[in-house]
Amino acid sequence: MNYRADVAIIGAGVVGLGVAAQAADKGWEVYLLEKNETFGRETSSRHSGVIHSGIYYPEGSMKAKMCVAGNSLLYKICEGYGIGNRRLGKLIVATSDEETEELQTLLERGRRNGVGDLSLLSRREMKELEPNVQGVAALLSPSTGIIDSHALMKYFLARAKEGGVQIVYQTEVVGIEKMAEEYQVTVKAGTGEFSFMARTVINCAGLHSDRVAELAGIDIAKVGYRLHYCKGEYFSLSSDKSRLVKRLIYPVPPPKIAGVGIHVTSDLEGRIRLGPSIQYVDSLDYAVDYQHQQLFYDSVRRLLPSIEYDDLAPEMAGIRPKLQEPGGDIRDFVIRDERDRDLPGLINLVGIESPGLTASPAIAEYVVSLIQEHLAE
Ligand SMILES: Cc1cc2nc3c(=O)[nH]c(=O)nc-3n(C[C@H](O)[C@H](O)[C@H](O)COP(=O)(O)OP(=O)(O)OC[C@H]3O[C@@H](n4cnc5c(N)ncnc54)[C@H](O)[C@@H]3O)c2cc1C
């Protein structure tokens, strides 16, 4: 490593890797710094693996724009580079008249967000597609799918390496200090600490991104960057039930809920998984509480009545880096150059929860445009 970078990216999750891949062919000296022993050890390996279409998010929000753009970019990347994926389609299923009205709202919002292929299905039409699903109506999203997210990260990593990005594991960023034109970035590696200079610093630190922003002197309480951990557990469904559904099956999310509701997804091997639940927590503990099995069973049997309690088994959990407080309003992704806080070239990405995996290639393009703007000044 020489000790002067154009771009220092903090965090090798799917977002940091995406940015590194996109920045790799620009002729910049780029470092990607990761505190763990390898890439993708945190949220980017603990999710539903769904390529979302962009239905849920408020019109004009970063989440909506980045999700819709990311959806088509991801399918192109998958096709071009042989990354495992399946465009399964998804049904959001209403179980009451009230929920049917909500489907109409979701349809209109989705269309305004640019999701052009949505359609409302009657009970009969829904049953033709998914005979085992119970409900009174459904919204069909054909462009929702699933992806091998590990293969996506490996693809981003390979592109970054080919383009000369220096990837440094077991290296934690512990200081960011604004100097005249650049930032002094201090890292802890092994038992030692050392510093280097970077013209731009990109904070892709996921669950720790609020603290990384704080390192640069940002008052995270004042600017609203404090993250709340929100755990999502998953239960798997026994293999003899794996043919119950062909598509991803979601409930209608209640208003202000911090997620999209416990849903039914499958992985590329066809195994069915239920989740994620929603529970605000204080620490990064990924254990699944088997006592939550009843909650999962009750949520899912509304949509799939032939499931039995003993078909479920605890599987894994992920933790969302949420800006939304418990019971608070939905918050958008923060992706911004902090020039108006006298920190030009510090680009913070905070609150990159779902649909962050889907959005990752679009976020990467946007972040690289911000880097380009800064370096051109
Ligand atoms: C339960 C759950 C379900 C989800 N389902 C979906 C889904 O179906 N579809 C979808 O699109 N999205 C989904 N998401 C969201 C998606 O998983 C995330 O948005 C995405 O993985 C975030 O990636 P990231 O790179 O920002 O963060 P991470 O993967 O957390 O990466 C951040 C990295 O930064 C490193 N780091 C942190 N601090 C430092 C430091 N000081 N120095 C060096 N390195 C540091 C960490 O070690 C980590 O490797 C889900 C999320 C959860 C929790």
Side-chain angles (χ1 to χ4, degrees):
M1 202 191 244
N2 77 39
Y3 296 99
R4 177 156 259 112
D6 296 308
V7 184
I9 303 167
I10 306 168
V14 72
V15 175
L17 288 165
V19 173
Q22 193 73 30
D25 58 2
K26 299 281 183 286
W28 300 326
E29 181 74 23
V30 183
Y31 299 166
L32 174 56
L33 309 159
E34 168 55 53
K35 68 178 168 55
N36 292 331
E37 64 283 8
T38 187
F39 65 91
R41 282 288 162 95
E42 302 201 349
T43 310
S44 297
S45 301
R46 296 176 165 277
H47 51 66
S48 305
V50 173
I51 304 179
H52 287 297
S53 59
I55 302 171
Y56 299 102
Y57 319 107
E59 193 183 352
S61 63
M62 278 279 186
K63 282 184 179 171
K65 286 191 251 180
M66 297 288 154
C67 184
V68 172
N71 176 290
S72 51
L73 284 171
L74 267 194
Y75 282 120
K76 271 189 212 128
I77 292 172
C78 288
E79 208 173 295
Y81 299 94
I83 294 167
N85 75 100
R86 286 180 70 200
R87 203 187 278 254
L88 293 174
K90 142 175 166 176
L91 289 181
I92 304 177
V93 178
T95 54
S96 66
D97 290 347
E98 226 177 20
E99 286 189 351
T100 307
E101 275 174 37
E102 186 58 24
L103 287 186
Q104 183 66 37
T105 308
L106 289 172
L107 170 77
E108 286 161 18
R109 190 187 306 153
R111 285 187 177 155
R112 284 199 301 272
N113 286 348
V115 190
D117 57 358
L118 299 172
S119 56
L120 281 177
L121 306 183
S122 65
R123 181 176 179 281
R124 188 182 51 77
E125 290 166 327
M126 180 192 79
K127 283 276 181 196
E128 271 166 24
L129 296 182
E130 294 289 352
N132 296 310
V133 172
Q134 175 175 273
V136 294
L139 181 63
L140 173 66
S141 167
S143 61
T144 304
I146 52 173
I147 183 169
D148 178 346
S149 61
H150 192 73
L152 175 69
M153 287 192 280
K154 277 179 72 181
Y155 159 74
F156 284 149
L157 181 74
R159 256 187 71 189
K161 279 185 177 166
E162 269 165 34
V165 174
Q166 302 199 46
I167 298 155
V168 198
Y169 295 126
Q170 293 182 302
T171 299
E172 180 177 359
V173 172
V174 293
I176 302 171
E177 192 180 342
K178 168 95 174 25
M179 311 305 269
E181 298 283 311
E182 297 169 318
Y183 292 89
Q184 179 173 297
V185 180
T186 303
V187 298
K188 202 165 95 186
T191 51
E193 275 192 14
F194 73 96
S195 300
F196 65 92
M197 303 303 288
R199 294 171 70 196
T200 54
V201 176
I202 321 301
N203 170 10
C204 301
L207 290 159
H208 317 275
S209 53
D210 55 347
R211 269 172 284 154
V212 168
E214 206 167 31
L215 290 179
I218 291 184
D219 182 340
I220 57 170
K222 196 166 149 203
V223 304
Y225 285 4
R226 191 176 298 289
L227 287 173
H228 307 276
Y229 297 155
C230 183
K231 187 167 176 176
E233 293 178 330
Y234 293 88
F235 278 69
S236 59
L237 203 59
S238 56
S239 54
D240 57 318
K241 296 285 164 79
S242 65
R243 291 184 197 284
L244 267 185
V245 288
K246 296 189 218 57
R247 294 167 185 75
L248 310 176
I249 309 294
Y250 284 59
V252 173
K256 273 210 179 179
I257 188 182
V260 291
I262 290 180
H263 45 265
V264 182
T265 57
S266 80
D267 63 18
L268 289 164
E269 282 75 45
R271 282 185 299 258
I272 293 194
R273 184 198 269 166
L274 314 177
S277 54
I278 290 169
Q279 187 189 2
Y280 278 89
V281 292
D282 296 325
S283 63
L284 297 178
D285 173 0
Y286 294 105
V288 178
D289 185 344
Y290 68 89
Q291 292 183 23
H292 293 159
Q293 185 158 335
Q294 188 69 44
L295 166 89
F296 277 75
Y297 175 58
D298 291 342
S299 305
V300 172
R301 78 173 161 172
R302 282 175 60 230
L303 304 177
L304 284 174
S306 55
I307 287 183
E308 288 165 39
Y309 181 84
D310 291 333
D311 290 329
L312 276 63
E315 204 200 51
M316 62 105 171
I319 297 183
R320 307 167 179 90
K322 271 200 172 290
L323 287 165
Q324 181 184 2
E325 292 170 10
D329 290 332
I330 287 168
R331 294 275 309 271
D332 202 0
F333 291 156
V334 168
I335 306 175
R336 73 193 303 272
D337 185 313
E338 303 286 1
R339 60 183 63 239
D340 59 351
R341 301 198 165 107
D342 206 20
L343 295 166
L346 170 67
I347 299 170
N348 275 321
L349 290 86
V350 188
I352 312 298
E353 53 169 328
S354 193
L357 168 65
T358 310
S360 57
I363 292 176
E365 282 186 359
Y366 178 60
V367 168
V368 166
S369 75
L370 296 178
I371 300 172
Q372 249 157 349
E373 246 173 64
H374 177 71
L375 291 181
E377 277 169 6

